[in-house]
Amino acid sequence: MPSRIPPLAITAYTATSALGRGRRAHVEALRDRRTGLRDNDFTAAPLACAIGRVDGLEAQPLPAEFAEHDSRNNRLAWLGLGADGFLDAARAAIDRHGASRVALLVGTSTASIGSTEQAHLALEDGRFAPAFASPALHTPHSLGLFLEHVLGTRGPCSTIATACSSSAKIFAQGERLIRLGIVDAAILAGVDTLCGSVLFGFNALELVAPEACRPFDVARRGISIGEAAGFALLERDGAGAPRLLGYGESSDAHHMSTPHPHGLGARLALADAFARAGVGAHEVDYVNLHGTATVKNDEVEAALLADSFPPTTRASSTKGWTGHTLGAAGILEAVITLLAIEHGFVPGTLNTDTRDPLCDARLALANEERAVRVALSNSFGFGGNNCTLAFGCAA
Amino acid sequence: MNGVLTVHVDGIGWRSPGLADWDAARALLRDGGAPALIGASGASPALLPPNERRRAPDTVLLACDVAGQACAMAASEPAQLPCVFASMHGDIAITEHLCMTLAANPLELSPTKFHNSVLNAATGYWTVATQCHAASNALSASGASFAVGLFEAAAEAHANGTSTLFAAYDAGARGALAETMRAEASHGVAFVLSPERGARTVAALRLRHDGDGDGADVPEARGAWFGVALLPLFGALAHGHSARLRLPAGRGTALAIEVLA
């Protein structure tokens, strides 16, 4: 078991998704139970499914100085970075600590692969046309390169790409670098955007629902894919700021695209998150579940919920609002969890009519007004890659 | 702490075209040679079950091969080791295949190719094959993928007080994407890194992230993470010498490495 860690302050955070730009848009959509999902209008080839699309990215190129980075993914990063004053807060932290004392840690599963797809649609004599020749677009690190250019950080900078746990794991990475004294702050960014690879890839795996996803519903039929950008700033101190209390990371060691049938990896991640946070299940007010609405994920997670938490814990999946934003899901749902703490409410589970009998009343379908002091967020990815984050209210 | 992380190398894995393991690479490096990186890596790691060996792409074979070598040399049980796998390009042959299929007939995308396309395919196959339930990380940092991955593995080793497996790998490919990125090199290396010196330790690495230099360091955007800048590290490990080197780690930043024999 890992040792307890000192909590860190989350001094700024924001998200942009199909629900809108910034925290207020997310709180309002969650409170109003207004989904961001719509019928697929993204792919050129028809694919009957719902998507969580961010409007307007097509018409918002990056500023000319960042043209080499111009992709749908980096446009969404740019849009999200400016929300809720996050860019100003990040720049203030860089001024406060010094650029070399601030890490830039990003998580994404697809990076700018949408641009690589476009380049293949427009090959000239079997080669990329000049418009698609920028190497900054065709690397898994494209988001990191772009944000490092924008922000001018001089601390460690990497892209974690562990599929759907990517941008949860950057919280763990940031905590380690701060605790070891390598840096004094970490700017965390998770961005993933709609692209053909994921829509047709998950479709090939028969994991995409034909309608808007219904997490934990007895008749659930799979995921709805969405896009999002989330950002958080981790520092040692911050009056009034919510806290990162702990995290747990694990591997299922079971299968590339199917979770462990008994949720072994998920249970290990939860146990490590409790140990680092120094909290027990009885203290957890809310769990934002991975809740993808695949048959398997929700089955495993429902059992985990029933086995590991007291009846007082409330849990939900918010993917009926945003869709599954893949590599951005970790930080998007971390932001939603922080909003639940800040605003004192538990978002329910949208689109779900009849709970799977495996779920008990711990699964909140309706929204609930209640104080949330300690909350968890689960993110589980392909390759059996799991991460659970623990957050707490301001000290 | 002053920002320096010292880790002890307990095991080394290596594979490049014509050099099947660290013993072969060490012999070449001791004779002053430089490894060739173009060609098939030939990796076919026995620790993957035959079915998985058949399904796994070259990048996964390469990563699992060198990771297995490093664990064997360190006499470390892979099931207990957290791991960090780093790749500059991911599996460029599969990305190319996905993009060509999407351009031609997206509904014919192969589900196996799709799940093999994620950057953490190697950690997925590795953790399944070794029954490793510890944390696994898959990371990329353009031309700095080796340097940044090594530093991350060292940070994990110290933050968790446990030995940590680090592997860096890329497999060359053909096609429009590979040409744009000059992704020609096939090469994998791995270390088992420990926060404390142990019976199997062959060298220590003092690592410092340097963000206060003149800003001239810029990682390669194309090509490979392995190049002449890395030869002093592997040369020192081969000879049992000490050495100092500096690798670009990001935009204007570097990883300073001191090898202590």
PDB file of all heavy atoms in Angstrom, chain A residues 355-388:
ATOM      1  N   ARG A 355     -32.590   1.152 -13.983  1.00  0.00           N
ATOM      2  CA  ARG A 355     -31.274   0.703 -13.507  1.00  0.00           C
ATOM      3  C   ARG A 355     -31.072  -0.776 -13.801  1.00  0.00           C
ATOM      4  O   ARG A 355     -31.963  -1.581 -13.578  1.00  0.00           O
ATOM      5  CB  ARG A 355     -31.185   0.834 -11.986  1.00  0.00           C
ATOM      6  CG  ARG A 355     -30.892   2.187 -11.455  1.00  0.00           C
ATOM      7  CD  ARG A 355     -30.600   2.043  -9.959  1.00  0.00           C
ATOM      8  NE  ARG A 355     -30.607   3.342  -9.330  1.00  0.00           N
ATOM      9  CZ  ARG A 355     -31.674   3.890  -8.779  1.00  0.00           C
ATOM     10  NH1 ARG A 355     -32.818   3.249  -8.765  1.00  0.00           N
ATOM     11  NH2 ARG A 355     -31.593   5.080  -8.222  1.00  0.00           N
ATOM     12  N   ASP A 356     -29.868  -1.110 -14.237  1.00  0.00           N
ATOM     13  CA  ASP A 356     -29.474  -2.520 -14.289  1.00  0.00           C
ATOM     14  C   ASP A 356     -29.681  -3.101 -12.892  1.00  0.00           C
ATOM     15  O   ASP A 356     -29.315  -2.463 -11.899  1.00  0.00           O
ATOM     16  CB  ASP A 356     -27.997  -2.599 -14.701  1.00  0.00           C
ATOM     17  CG  ASP A 356     -27.536  -4.021 -14.951  1.00  0.00           C
ATOM     18  OD1 ASP A 356     -27.705  -4.868 -14.040  1.00  0.00           O
ATOM     19  OD2 ASP A 356     -27.010  -4.292 -16.034  1.00  0.00           O
ATOM     20  N   PRO A 357     -30.248  -4.313 -12.787  1.00  0.00           N
ATOM     21  CA  PRO A 357     -30.456  -4.902 -11.455  1.00  0.00           C
ATOM     22  C   PRO A 357     -29.151  -5.045 -10.661  1.00  0.00           C
ATOM     23  O   PRO A 357     -29.194  -5.169  -9.432  1.00  0.00           O
ATOM     24  CB  PRO A 357     -31.060  -6.274 -11.748  1.00  0.00           C
ATOM     25  CG  PRO A 357     -31.355  -6.328 -13.197  1.00  0.00           C
ATOM     26  CD  PRO A 357     -30.782  -5.135 -13.869  1.00  0.00           C
ATOM     27  N   LEU A 358     -28.013  -5.005 -11.340  1.00  0.00           N
ATOM     28  CA  LEU A 358     -26.730  -5.074 -10.627  1.00  0.00           C
ATOM     29  C   LEU A 358     -26.467  -3.815  -9.816  1.00  0.00           C
ATOM     30  O   LEU A 358     -25.667  -3.814  -8.891  1.00  0.00           O
ATOM     31  CB  LEU A 358     -25.586  -5.267 -11.627  1.00  0.00           C
ATOM     32  CG  LEU A 358     -25.537  -6.600 -12.347  1.00  0.00           C
ATOM     33  CD1 LEU A 358     -24.618  -6.530 -13.554  1.00  0.00           C
ATOM     34  CD2 LEU A 358     -25.076  -7.688 -11.378  1.00  0.00           C
ATOM     35  N   CYS A 359     -27.149  -2.724 -10.194  1.00  0.00           N
ATOM     36  CA  CYS A 359     -26.951  -1.452  -9.493  1.00  0.00           C
ATOM     37  C   CYS A 359     -27.945  -1.370  -8.356  1.00  0.00           C
ATOM     38  O   CYS A 359     -29.079  -1.796  -8.474  1.00  0.00           O
ATOM     39  CB  CYS A 359     -27.243  -0.266 -10.409  1.00  0.00           C
ATOM     40  SG  CYS A 359     -26.133  -0.141 -11.772  1.00  0.00           S
ATOM     41  N   ASP A 360     -27.516  -0.759  -7.257  1.00  0.00           N
ATOM     42  CA  ASP A 360     -28.498  -0.503  -6.200  1.00  0.00           C
ATOM     43  C   ASP A 360     -28.729   1.001  -6.123  1.00  0.00           C
ATOM     44  O   ASP A 360     -28.336   1.755  -7.013  1.00  0.00           O
ATOM     45  CB  ASP A 360     -28.040  -1.101  -4.883  1.00  0.00           C
ATOM     46  CG  ASP A 360     -26.700  -0.556  -4.476  1.00  0.00           C
ATOM     47  OD1 ASP A 360     -26.335   0.534  -4.973  1.00  0.00           O
ATOM     48  OD2 ASP A 360     -26.012  -1.207  -3.683  1.00  0.00           O
ATOM     49  N   ALA A 361     -29.363   1.411  -5.044  1.00  0.00           N
ATOM     50  CA  ALA A 361     -29.784   2.807  -4.928  1.00  0.00           C
ATOM     51  C   ALA A 361     -28.618   3.774  -4.784  1.00  0.00           C
ATOM     52  O   ALA A 361     -28.812   4.985  -4.810  1.00  0.00           O
ATOM     53  CB  ALA A 361     -30.739   2.961  -3.742  1.00  0.00           C
ATOM     54  N   ARG A 362     -27.383   3.262  -4.640  1.00  0.00           N
ATOM     55  CA  ARG A 362     -26.240   4.184  -4.587  1.00  0.00           C
ATOM     56  C   ARG A 362     -26.109   4.954  -5.908  1.00  0.00           C
ATOM     57  O   ARG A 362     -25.548   6.033  -5.943  1.00  0.00           O
ATOM     58  CB  ARG A 362     -24.943   3.411  -4.335  1.00  0.00           C
ATOM     59  CG  ARG A 362     -24.845   2.776  -2.953  1.00  0.00           C
ATOM     60  CD  ARG A 362     -23.586   1.921  -2.867  1.00  0.00           C
ATOM     61  NE  ARG A 362     -23.459   1.227  -1.602  1.00  0.00           N
ATOM     62  CZ  ARG A 362     -24.014   0.043  -1.327  1.00  0.00           C
ATOM     63  NH1 ARG A 362     -24.775  -0.559  -2.221  1.00  0.00           N
ATOM     64  NH2 ARG A 362     -23.826  -0.536  -0.155  1.00  0.00           N
ATOM     65  N   LEU A 363     -26.575   4.336  -6.995  1.00  0.00           N
ATOM     66  CA  LEU A 363     -26.505   5.007  -8.300  1.00  0.00           C
ATOM     67  C   LEU A 363     -27.581   6.082  -8.368  1.00  0.00           C
ATOM     68  O   LEU A 363     -28.777   5.771  -8.367  1.00  0.00           O
ATOM     69  CB  LEU A 363     -26.703   4.011  -9.441  1.00  0.00           C
ATOM     70  CG  LEU A 363     -26.548   4.666 -10.815  1.00  0.00           C
ATOM     71  CD1 LEU A 363     -25.080   4.839 -11.184  1.00  0.00           C
ATOM     72  CD2 LEU A 363     -27.275   3.875 -11.883  1.00  0.00           C
ATOM     73  N   ALA A 364     -27.175   7.330  -8.421  1.00  0.00           N
ATOM     74  CA  ALA A 364     -28.123   8.445  -8.494  1.00  0.00           C
ATOM     75  C   ALA A 364     -28.592   8.608  -9.931  1.00  0.00           C
ATOM     76  O   ALA A 364     -27.775   8.782 -10.832  1.00  0.00           O
ATOM     77  CB  ALA A 364     -27.458   9.718  -7.998  1.00  0.00           C
ATOM     78  N   LEU A 365     -29.899   8.531 -10.144  1.00  0.00           N
ATOM     79  CA  LEU A 365     -30.447   8.836 -11.475  1.00  0.00           C
ATOM     80  C   LEU A 365     -30.832  10.313 -11.544  1.00  0.00           C
ATOM     81  O   LEU A 365     -30.474  11.012 -12.475  1.00  0.00           O
ATOM     82  CB  LEU A 365     -31.652   7.940 -11.767  1.00  0.00           C
ATOM     83  CG  LEU A 365     -31.358   6.437 -11.910  1.00  0.00           C
ATOM     84  CD1 LEU A 365     -32.612   5.691 -12.370  1.00  0.00           C
ATOM     85  CD2 LEU A 365     -30.208   6.162 -12.874  1.00  0.00           C
ATOM     86  N   ALA A 366     -31.563  10.775 -10.546  1.00  0.00           N
ATOM     87  CA  ALA A 366     -31.929  12.201 -10.482  1.00  0.00           C
ATOM     88  C   ALA A 366     -30.774  12.989  -9.852  1.00  0.00           C
ATOM     89  O   ALA A 366     -29.943  12.438  -9.126  1.00  0.00           O
ATOM     90  CB  ALA A 366     -33.193  12.367  -9.651  1.00  0.00           C
ATOM     91  N   ASN A 367     -30.737  14.299 -10.147  1.00  0.00           N
ATOM     92  CA  ASN A 367     -29.777  15.172  -9.459  1.00  0.00           C
ATOM     93  C   ASN A 367     -30.174  15.290  -7.988  1.00  0.00           C
ATOM     94  O   ASN A 367     -31.364  15.227  -7.652  1.00  0.00           O
ATOM     95  CB  ASN A 367     -29.794  16.573 -10.075  1.00  0.00           C
ATOM     96  CG  ASN A 367     -29.235  16.595 -11.492  1.00  0.00           C
ATOM     97  OD1 ASN A 367     -28.862  15.562 -12.034  1.00  0.00           O
ATOM     98  ND2 ASN A 367     -29.183  17.782 -12.061  1.00  0.00           N
ATOM     99  N   GLU A 368     -29.196  15.494  -7.130  1.00  0.00           N
ATOM    100  CA  GLU A 368     -29.470  15.644  -5.702  1.00  0.00           C
ATOM    101  C   GLU A 368     -28.688  16.829  -5.152  1.00  0.00           C
ATOM    102  O   GLU A 368     -27.519  17.000  -5.463  1.00  0.00           O
ATOM    103  CB  GLU A 368     -29.052  14.373  -4.942  1.00  0.00           C
ATOM    104  CG  GLU A 368     -29.817  13.131  -5.395  1.00  0.00           C
ATOM    105  CD  GLU A 368     -29.292  11.865  -4.723  1.00  0.00           C
ATOM    106  OE1 GLU A 368     -28.575  11.980  -3.704  1.00  0.00           O
ATOM    107  OE2 GLU A 368     -29.594  10.771  -5.238  1.00  0.00           O
ATOM    108  N   GLU A 369     -29.362  17.627  -4.337  1.00  0.00           N
ATOM    109  CA  GLU A 369     -28.674  18.715  -3.642  1.00  0.00           C
ATOM    110  C   GLU A 369     -28.104  18.146  -2.355  1.00  0.00           C
ATOM    111  O   GLU A 369     -28.858  17.645  -1.510  1.00  0.00           O
ATOM    112  CB  GLU A 369     -29.658  19.844  -3.309  1.00  0.00           C
ATOM    113  CG  GLU A 369     -30.305  20.476  -4.526  1.00  0.00           C
ATOM    114  CD  GLU A 369     -29.306  21.163  -5.444  1.00  0.00           C
ATOM    115  OE1 GLU A 369     -28.403  21.859  -4.936  1.00  0.00           O
ATOM    116  OE2 GLU A 369     -29.418  20.969  -6.677  1.00  0.00           O
ATOM    117  N   ARG A 370     -26.827  18.140  -2.190  1.00  0.00           N
ATOM    118  CA  ARG A 370     -26.215  17.701  -0.937  1.00  0.00           C
ATOM    119  C   ARG A 370     -24.746  18.126  -0.914  1.00  0.00           C
ATOM    120  O   ARG A 370     -24.116  18.289  -1.949  1.00  0.00           O
ATOM    121  CB  ARG A 370     -26.337  16.188  -0.745  1.00  0.00           C
ATOM    122  CG  ARG A 370     -25.677  15.358  -1.807  1.00  0.00           C
ATOM    123  CD  ARG A 370     -25.822  13.878  -1.500  1.00  0.00           C
ATOM    124  NE  ARG A 370     -24.794  13.426  -0.574  1.00  0.00           N
ATOM    125  CZ  ARG A 370     -24.855  12.256   0.046  1.00  0.00           C
ATOM    126  NH1 ARG A 370     -25.888  11.463  -0.108  1.00  0.00           N
ATOM    127  NH2 ARG A 370     -23.884  11.863   0.841  1.00  0.00           N
ATOM    128  N   ALA A 371     -24.249  18.303   0.300  1.00  0.00           N
ATOM    129  CA  ALA A 371     -22.852  18.702   0.439  1.00  0.00           C
ATOM    130  C   ALA A 371     -21.953  17.564  -0.027  1.00  0.00           C
ATOM    131  O   ALA A 371     -22.203  16.400   0.289  1.00  0.00           O
ATOM    132  CB  ALA A 371     -22.551  19.051   1.890  1.00  0.00           C
ATOM    133  N   VAL A 372     -20.947  17.900  -0.788  1.00  0.00           N
ATOM    134  CA  VAL A 372     -19.962  16.909  -1.236  1.00  0.00           C
ATOM    135  C   VAL A 372     -18.591  17.371  -0.731  1.00  0.00           C
ATOM    136  O   VAL A 372     -18.083  18.402  -1.161  1.00  0.00           O
ATOM    137  CB  VAL A 372     -19.963  16.791  -2.778  1.00  0.00           C
ATOM    138  CG1 VAL A 372     -18.908  15.792  -3.237  1.00  0.00           C
ATOM    139  CG2 VAL A 372     -21.339  16.380  -3.291  1.00  0.00           C
ATOM    140  N   ARG A 373     -18.056  16.625   0.215  1.00  0.00           N
ATOM    141  CA  ARG A 373     -16.762  17.003   0.813  1.00  0.00           C
ATOM    142  C   ARG A 373     -15.619  16.174   0.242  1.00  0.00           C
ATOM    143  O   ARG A 373     -14.526  16.666   0.004  1.00  0.00           O
ATOM    144  CB  ARG A 373     -16.811  16.838   2.334  1.00  0.00           C
ATOM    145  CG  ARG A 373     -17.755  17.808   3.010  1.00  0.00           C
ATOM    146  CD  ARG A 373     -17.869  17.525   4.502  1.00  0.00           C
ATOM    147  NE  ARG A 373     -19.062  18.171   5.042  1.00  0.00           N
ATOM    148  CZ  ARG A 373     -20.274  17.621   5.033  1.00  0.00           C
ATOM    149  NH1 ARG A 373     -20.473  16.408   4.548  1.00  0.00           N
ATOM    150  NH2 ARG A 373     -21.310  18.289   5.531  1.00  0.00           N
ATOM    151  N   VAL A 374     -15.876  14.886   0.052  1.00  0.00           N
ATOM    152  CA  VAL A 374     -14.872  13.987  -0.539  1.00  0.00           C
ATOM    153  C   VAL A 374     -15.527  13.286  -1.724  1.00  0.00           C
ATOM    154  O   VAL A 374     -16.646  12.761  -1.602  1.00  0.00           O
ATOM    155  CB  VAL A 374     -14.382  12.941   0.490  1.00  0.00           C
ATOM    156  CG1 VAL A 374     -13.455  11.929  -0.184  1.00  0.00           C
ATOM    157  CG2 VAL A 374     -13.679  13.621   1.653  1.00  0.00           C
ATOM    158  N   ALA A 375     -14.855  13.301  -2.854  1.00  0.00           N
ATOM    159  CA  ALA A 375     -15.428  12.696  -4.054  1.00  0.00           C
ATOM    160  C   ALA A 375     -14.337  12.016  -4.863  1.00  0.00           C
ATOM    161  O   ALA A 375     -13.167  12.424  -4.834  1.00  0.00           O
ATOM    162  CB  ALA A 375     -16.127  13.756  -4.903  1.00  0.00           C
ATOM    163  N   LEU A 376     -14.736  10.982  -5.576  1.00  0.00           N
ATOM    164  CA  LEU A 376     -13.811  10.221  -6.425  1.00  0.00           C
ATOM    165  C   LEU A 376     -14.227  10.345  -7.884  1.00  0.00           C
ATOM    166  O   LEU A 376     -15.400  10.595  -8.192  1.00  0.00           O
ATOM    167  CB  LEU A 376     -13.837   8.731  -6.055  1.00  0.00           C
ATOM    168  CG  LEU A 376     -13.614   8.336  -4.606  1.00  0.00           C
ATOM    169  CD1 LEU A 376     -13.672   6.809  -4.472  1.00  0.00           C
ATOM    170  CD2 LEU A 376     -12.282   8.857  -4.098  1.00  0.00           C
ATOM    171  N   SER A 377     -13.256  10.129  -8.775  1.00  0.00           N
ATOM    172  CA  SER A 377     -13.557  10.023 -10.203  1.00  0.00           C
ATOM    173  C   SER A 377     -12.806   8.825 -10.766  1.00  0.00           C
ATOM    174  O   SER A 377     -11.593   8.695 -10.573  1.00  0.00           O
ATOM    175  CB  SER A 377     -13.147  11.313 -10.917  1.00  0.00           C
ATOM    176  OG  SER A 377     -13.397  11.191 -12.311  1.00  0.00           O
ATOM    177  N   ASN A 378     -13.524   7.947 -11.435  1.00  0.00           N
ATOM    178  CA  ASN A 378     -12.939   6.732 -12.024  1.00  0.00           C
ATOM    179  C   ASN A 378     -12.683   6.919 -13.513  1.00  0.00           C
ATOM    180  O   ASN A 378     -13.560   7.426 -14.227  1.00  0.00           O
ATOM    181  CB  ASN A 378     -13.912   5.551 -11.898  1.00  0.00           C
ATOM    182  CG  ASN A 378     -13.889   4.905 -10.527  1.00  0.00           C
ATOM    183  OD1 ASN A 378     -12.968   5.142  -9.737  1.00  0.00           O
ATOM    184  ND2 ASN A 378     -14.888   4.088 -10.248  1.00  0.00           N
ATOM    185  N   SER A 379     -11.536   6.453 -13.990  1.00  0.00           N
ATOM    186  CA  SER A 379     -11.265   6.417 -15.425  1.00  0.00           C
ATOM    187  C   SER A 379     -10.561   5.108 -15.754  1.00  0.00           C
ATOM    188  O   SER A 379      -9.511   4.810 -15.185  1.00  0.00           O
ATOM    189  CB  SER A 379     -10.370   7.589 -15.838  1.00  0.00           C
ATOM    190  OG  SER A 379     -11.019   8.814 -15.577  1.00  0.00           O
ATOM    191  N   PHE A 380     -11.151   4.358 -16.662  1.00  0.00           N
ATOM    192  CA  PHE A 380     -10.585   3.055 -17.046  1.00  0.00           C
ATOM    193  C   PHE A 380     -10.395   3.036 -18.550  1.00  0.00           C
ATOM    194  O   PHE A 380     -11.288   3.427 -19.298  1.00  0.00           O
ATOM    195  CB  PHE A 380     -11.534   1.913 -16.653  1.00  0.00           C
ATOM    196  CG  PHE A 380     -11.981   1.954 -15.216  1.00  0.00           C
ATOM    197  CD1 PHE A 380     -13.294   1.667 -14.875  1.00  0.00           C
ATOM    198  CD2 PHE A 380     -11.084   2.272 -14.196  1.00  0.00           C
ATOM    199  CE1 PHE A 380     -13.716   1.698 -13.557  1.00  0.00           C
ATOM    200  CE2 PHE A 380     -11.494   2.297 -12.869  1.00  0.00           C
ATOM    201  CZ  PHE A 380     -12.814   2.013 -12.541  1.00  0.00           C
ATOM    202  N   GLY A 381      -9.241   2.545 -19.006  1.00  0.00           N
ATOM    203  CA  GLY A 381      -8.966   2.599 -20.435  1.00  0.00           C
ATOM    204  C   GLY A 381      -8.616   1.266 -21.049  1.00  0.00           C
ATOM    205  O   GLY A 381      -8.372   0.280 -20.355  1.00  0.00           O
ATOM    206  N   PHE A 382      -8.564   1.269 -22.381  1.00  0.00           N
ATOM    207  CA  PHE A 382      -8.052   0.143 -23.167  1.00  0.00           C
ATOM    208  C   PHE A 382      -6.716  -0.312 -22.593  1.00  0.00           C
ATOM    209  O   PHE A 382      -5.963   0.471 -22.033  1.00  0.00           O
ATOM    210  CB  PHE A 382      -7.775   0.615 -24.591  1.00  0.00           C
ATOM    211  CG  PHE A 382      -8.887   0.367 -25.541  1.00  0.00           C
ATOM    212  CD1 PHE A 382     -10.142   0.024 -25.104  1.00  0.00           C
ATOM    213  CD2 PHE A 382      -8.663   0.489 -26.894  1.00  0.00           C
ATOM    214  CE1 PHE A 382     -11.152  -0.197 -26.010  1.00  0.00           C
ATOM    215  CE2 PHE A 382      -9.670   0.286 -27.809  1.00  0.00           C
ATOM    216  CZ  PHE A 382     -10.910  -0.062 -27.368  1.00  0.00           C
ATOM    217  N   GLY A 383      -6.437  -1.574 -22.804  1.00  0.00           N
ATOM    218  CA  GLY A 383      -5.197  -2.109 -22.275  1.00  0.00           C
ATOM    219  C   GLY A 383      -5.312  -2.363 -20.786  1.00  0.00           C
ATOM    220  O   GLY A 383      -4.330  -2.672 -20.131  1.00  0.00           O
ATOM    221  N   GLY A 384      -6.526  -2.207 -20.238  1.00  0.00           N
ATOM    222  CA  GLY A 384      -6.732  -2.441 -18.811  1.00  0.00           C
ATOM    223  C   GLY A 384      -6.050  -1.409 -17.946  1.00  0.00           C
ATOM    224  O   GLY A 384      -5.525  -1.719 -16.884  1.00  0.00           O
ATOM    225  N   ASN A 385      -6.053  -0.155 -18.404  1.00  0.00           N
ATOM    226  CA  ASN A 385      -5.328   0.894 -17.698  1.00  0.00           C
ATOM    227  C   ASN A 385      -6.281   1.718 -16.830  1.00  0.00           C
ATOM    228  O   ASN A 385      -7.174   2.381 -17.350  1.00  0.00           O
ATOM    229  CB  ASN A 385      -4.632   1.782 -18.735  1.00  0.00           C
ATOM    230  CG  ASN A 385      -3.477   2.526 -18.116  1.00  0.00           C
ATOM    231  OD1 ASN A 385      -3.695   3.378 -17.270  1.00  0.00           O
ATOM    232  ND2 ASN A 385      -2.273   2.189 -18.512  1.00  0.00           N
ATOM    233  N   ASN A 386      -6.099   1.675 -15.518  1.00  0.00           N
ATOM    234  CA  ASN A 386      -7.078   2.251 -14.589  1.00  0.00           C
ATOM    235  C   ASN A 386      -6.492   3.375 -13.752  1.00  0.00           C
ATOM    236  O   ASN A 386      -5.333   3.310 -13.343  1.00  0.00           O
ATOM    237  CB  ASN A 386      -7.557   1.170 -13.617  1.00  0.00           C
ATOM    238  CG  ASN A 386      -7.969  -0.091 -14.343  1.00  0.00           C
ATOM    239  OD1 ASN A 386      -8.904  -0.082 -15.130  1.00  0.00           O
ATOM    240  ND2 ASN A 386      -7.238  -1.172 -14.108  1.00  0.00           N
ATOM    241  N   CYS A 387      -7.349   4.370 -13.469  1.00  0.00           N
ATOM    242  CA  CYS A 387      -6.939   5.440 -12.559  1.00  0.00           C
ATOM    243  C   CYS A 387      -8.151   5.936 -11.784  1.00  0.00           C
ATOM    244  O   CYS A 387      -9.207   6.195 -12.368  1.00  0.00           O
ATOM    245  CB  CYS A 387      -6.302   6.588 -13.339  1.00  0.00           C
ATOM    246  SG  CYS A 387      -5.598   7.866 -12.286  1.00  0.00           S
ATOM    247  N   THR A 388      -8.010   6.016 -10.476  1.00  0.00           N
ATOM    248  CA  THR A 388      -9.036   6.618  -9.616  1.00  0.00           C
ATOM    249  C   THR A 388      -8.435   7.837  -8.931  1.00  0.00           C
ATOM    250  O   THR A 388      -7.336   7.752  -8.376  1.00  0.00           O
ATOM    251  CB  THR A 388      -9.526   5.599  -8.570  1.00  0.00           C
ATOM    252  OG1 THR A 388     -10.197   4.538  -9.245  1.00  0.00           O
ATOM    253  CG2 THR A 388     -10.476   6.243  -7.572  1.00  0.00           C
TER     254      THR A 388
END
